[in-house]
Amino acid sequence: MAQQKGIDLSSVHGSGRGGRITRSDVEHTPAEGPHRVKASPLARRLALSAGVDLSALKGTGRGGTIRAEDVRAATAGPASRTAESRQPARPSSGTAEPAHPARAAIAALMSRANREIPHYYLSTTIDLADAMAWMRDRNASRPVAERLVPAALLLKSVALAARQVPELNGYWKEEAFIPSPAVRLGVAVSLRGGGLVAPALADADTMPLPELMATLKGLVSRARSGRLRASETADPTLTVTNLGDQGVEAVFGVIYPPQVALVGLGRVTERPVAVDGMLTVHPTVTATLAADHRASDGAVGARLLTAIDRLLQRPEEL
């Protein structure tokens, strides 16, 4: 059907399980026509956020397809000069440092998100004593390379919570919320050369923890080497940003449109807690939620954070 309509499947967002393209996706995609620009999905999103005209670019991909790198190279022109004019000069040389192309694209996207999305924020502190004890028991019989880490438990709990609270798992499009039948958990990854990307873990809610860890490791590696697959850049339904490894205790993020929620996770830290009237010290994590008030309200957001907490108290069910 795509061939008959002249549609480049690499530009189609798959709504099926694991991001697969369905017949319905093709039916609802307009025919490309002779002048439609061939570009990867990530390149289209970067171009949209940075205000780059794809028709003016020359693609370096297969068959002249415009890749994300082509868009980033284009934004290094006027975009970086605009940023340069706003940057203070370095004392040592008197010259300004141009903005990284990815940084410029992210700035444009986040500025639009702040303008258009009415954010509300919630936070909670989660006791991880049971989860950490369970993880240590599981790791005792595993090789070092296969041992679980707290991030895997946290991500799995968010994915399962998103399935339980579908009002926050989906997209705001054309003045309406469109829930997603699948959980595609976006994971914010900082790039070595600067910038940020949030590839998706498909079906993270049904993935066993060891598989989730292996998939996450590969995803981060490919993101930082610029080798993400098209299916991994297809629209996440909910994004998680975890800055715990940077020593941050709480993260209040900006929603990635057209998503309607973003979960922030801080570092695992020991805090005093009261248990049965006795004061003790337990490992805890601060979980935050940034949500779109057009799609939900605080009661719905509270349900998501409560679900994450409840799941982490029963780690054997993750």
Side-chain angles (χ1 to χ4, degrees), residues 47-72:
L48 178 63
S49 63
V52 174
D53 181 5
L54 286 175
S55 64
L57 302 185
K58 180 179 180 181
T60 60
R62 181 178 300 177
T65 299
I66 297 173
R67 303 164 61 224
E69 287 75 9
D70 301 324
V71 178
R72 291 181 180 126

Side-chain angles (χ1 to χ4, degrees), residues 172-183:
W172 182 265
K173 293 182 177 180
E174 299 179 0
E175 299 304 314
F177 174 66
I178 304 173
S180 172
V183 176

Side-chain angles (χ1 to χ4, degrees), residues 120 122 165 167-168 289 293 296-306:
Y120 70 86
L122 303 173
V165 187
E167 298 94 329
L168 294 175
L289 172 71
H293 230 320
S296 68
D297 54 29
V300 174
R303 281 170 47 207
L304 183 79
L305 290 181
T306 299

Side-chain angles (χ1 to χ4, degrees), residues 2 26 35 110 119 155 206 212 220 231 234 236 261 265 274 286 304 306 318:
V26 178
H35 302 295
M110 293 296 97
H119 287 63
L155 289 175
T206 61
L212 186 149
V220 172
S231 61
L265 299 168
T286 298
L304 183 79
T306 299
L318 294 176

Side-chain angles (χ1 to χ4, degrees), residues 88-96:
R90 287 186 176 182
S92 59
S93 63
T95 59

Side-chain angles (χ1 to χ4, degrees), residues 13 19 39 47 88 98 164 200 220 223-225 236 248 251 289 292 307 314:
H13 168 62
Q164 295 176 12
V220 172
R224 289 178 173 163
S225 61
V248 174
V251 186
L289 172 71
D292 187 337
R314 300 196 297 267

Side-chain angles (χ1 to χ4, degrees), residues 60-112:
T60 60
R62 181 178 300 177
T65 299
I66 297 173
R67 303 164 61 224
E69 287 75 9
D70 301 324
V71 178
R72 291 181 180 126
T75 60
S80 64
R81 286 195 295 273
T82 300
E84 181 178 342
S85 67
R86 298 174 182 172
Q87 293 288 336
R90 287 186 176 182
S92 59
S93 63
T95 59
E97 180 73 18
H100 189 279
R103 185 76 266 158
I106 293 166
L109 180 62
M110 293 296 97
S111 296
R112 179 165 68 90

Side-chain angles (χ1 to χ4, degrees), residues 267-307:
R267 69 185 177 95
V268 177
T269 184
E270 292 195 341
R271 291 188 177 95
V273 296
V275 179
D276 298 328
M278 299 293 291
L279 190 64
T280 184
V281 175
H282 281 184
T284 64
V285 67
T286 298
T288 63
L289 172 71
D292 187 337
H293 230 320
R294 297 172 299 180
S296 68
D297 54 29
V300 174
R303 281 170 47 207
L304 183 79
L305 290 181
T306 299

